[in-house]
Amino acid sequence: MPRWEYLTTPLMIHNTAAILNNWGSDGWELVQVVNGPEGGLVAYLKRPIVETN
């Protein structure tokens, strides 16, 4: 079973695609976007943890 690491990041409404593409190029997958506690958007992302033995 894969293990995951998670990340949350604020999204600037005028630059969402660039922000998400940047994280995606590092292997992060978008899980959800929600309204943050201060009214902005927050993205939740995940990626598998690479096991090095």
Side-chain angles (χ1 to χ4, degrees):
M1 178 175 281
R3 294 178 42 209
W4 301 95
E5 61 180 327
Y6 298 91
L7 172 94
T8 58
T9 187
L11 292 177
M12 310 311 170
I13 195 70
H14 65 280
N15 207 13
T16 54
I19 293 167
L20 294 173
N21 283 334
N22 186 46
W23 288 111
S25 68
D26 286 337
W28 292 96
E29 177 182 356
L30 179 65
V31 175
Q32 185 175 10
V33 175
V34 299
N35 286 321
E38 298 171 8
L41 296 176
V42 177
Y44 287 78
L45 303 106
K46 70 176 186 177
R47 71 177 173 188
I49 296 174
V50 177
E51 301 291 338
T52 56
N53 295 333

